[in-house]
Amino acid sequence: MKTYPTQEEGAVFTGMHEKTWARWTKIGRKLLAKLPVISIEDRHINWPLKAPTMYVDSVDFHVPETDPIDKDDFSHKFNHSAHWCMLGTALGCSRIVLMTPGVPAGTNDELSLVAGTVLPNLHDDEMIAADRVFEGVDRIMTKVSEPTTAAELISNRMIQLMAARHEGLNKKFQEFEVLKTLHFRHDREDHIDFVFAVASVVQI
């Protein structure tokens, strides 16, 4: 997945017949995608605090364009069709604790996705941290726009460090050619399998 070879290239490299190579790589991809290695309960590892217990942000991936192009897929960031997933990272161990299915980039409704997938899994006294798109949302900590106290400055610094760690994980996903190529050769429906397979590899 890091190099995303063609079927012909993969067959030559492994000495397999092309159809055999395609079949077994598909099986491997689907098994990787389903590995139970991402658990929201891992947010408590080496981290006794309840506010926050994880940092969440979206990660964007190119997807094959439809014909005609679906406006809901269009990403102004990539100037291309894209989907995004919500990625949650633990704060005490840098593990992935949440990975949601892909959402069309043009919908851009991060709050609804977080409200439906993250917040219901939290304890009553628990909060998460995120960027300023969630500013003012109950149970989500964000950087203070104009900090005036020592506590606000410290909080902003902590959230900045959390965001940097999260970005480090995001960059690991971008090391995989299959997730950044504009020439995705599989069916569009296969893309999310690759996303979750890569997530499993990054986690392991």
Side-chain angles (χ1 to χ4, degrees):
M1 293 184 293
K2 270 200 170 183
T3 58
Y4 194 40
T6 64
Q7 188 168 304
E8 181 181 1
E9 290 169 340
V12 169
F13 180 75
T14 58
M16 295 181 181
H17 188 278
E18 288 186 26
K19 289 185 177 180
T20 303
W21 182 85
R23 176 172 177 267
W24 284 106
T25 53
K26 180 178 181 178
I27 291 172
R29 178 179 78 242
K30 288 188 172 294
L31 288 173
L32 276 173
K34 293 179 179 179
L35 277 180
V37 294
I38 296 176
S39 171
I40 197 168
E41 296 305 316
D42 288 349
R43 69 192 188 279
H44 301 302
I45 296 177
N46 301 327
W47 191 259
L49 303 181
K50 294 293 185 68
T53 53
M54 73 174 86
Y55 186 92
V56 299
D57 199 1
S58 58
V59 290
D60 305 272
F61 306 107
H62 293 105
V63 295
E65 294 186 334
T66 57
D67 185 18
I69 295 176
D70 187 340
K71 62 181 179 61
D72 284 343
D73 279 347
F74 186 76
S75 167
H76 293 281
K77 176 179 178 180
F78 292 146
N79 195 30
H80 189 275
S81 291
H83 282 183
W84 57 267
C85 302
M86 189 60 66
L87 178 69
T89 52
L91 304 178
C93 61
S94 297
R95 288 181 64 80
I96 300 171
V97 295
L98 176 78
M99 191 78 186
T100 67
V103 176
T107 58
N108 197 31
D109 191 3
E110 295 181 346
L111 180 55
S112 293
L113 190 58
V114 169
T117 59
V118 184
L119 299 185
N121 289 288
L122 303 181
H123 301 302
D124 291 341
D125 56 349
E126 195 173 344
M127 299 180 72
I128 62 174
D131 65 20
R132 285 181 179 155
V133 71
F134 295 101
E135 189 171 7
V137 178
D138 188 39
R139 304 184 73 186
I140 300 181
M141 295 176 60
T142 61
K143 291 177 67 176
V144 178
S145 299
E146 297 181 3
T148 57
T149 66
E152 289 175 343
L153 288 168
I154 292 172
S155 177
N156 277 8
R157 178 57 179 161
M158 286 182 61
I159 293 175
Q160 183 177 339
L161 290 173
M162 295 172 195
R165 178 181 289 181
H166 187 281
E167 184 59 27
L169 271 177
N170 189 1
K171 287 181 178 178
K172 289 185 178 181
F173 281 85
Q174 302 309 321
E175 293 175 3
F176 290 78
E177 183 65 24
V178 69
L179 297 185
K180 63 182 181 181
T181 181
L182 292 176
H183 305 288
F184 188 73
R185 294 184 297 275
H186 289 74
D187 292 337
R188 183 182 168 94
E189 292 72 22
D190 292 330
H191 188 269
I192 194 62
D193 279 345
F194 280 101
V195 172
F196 277 92
V198 169
S200 294
V201 172
V202 170
Q203 182 82 309
I204 295 168

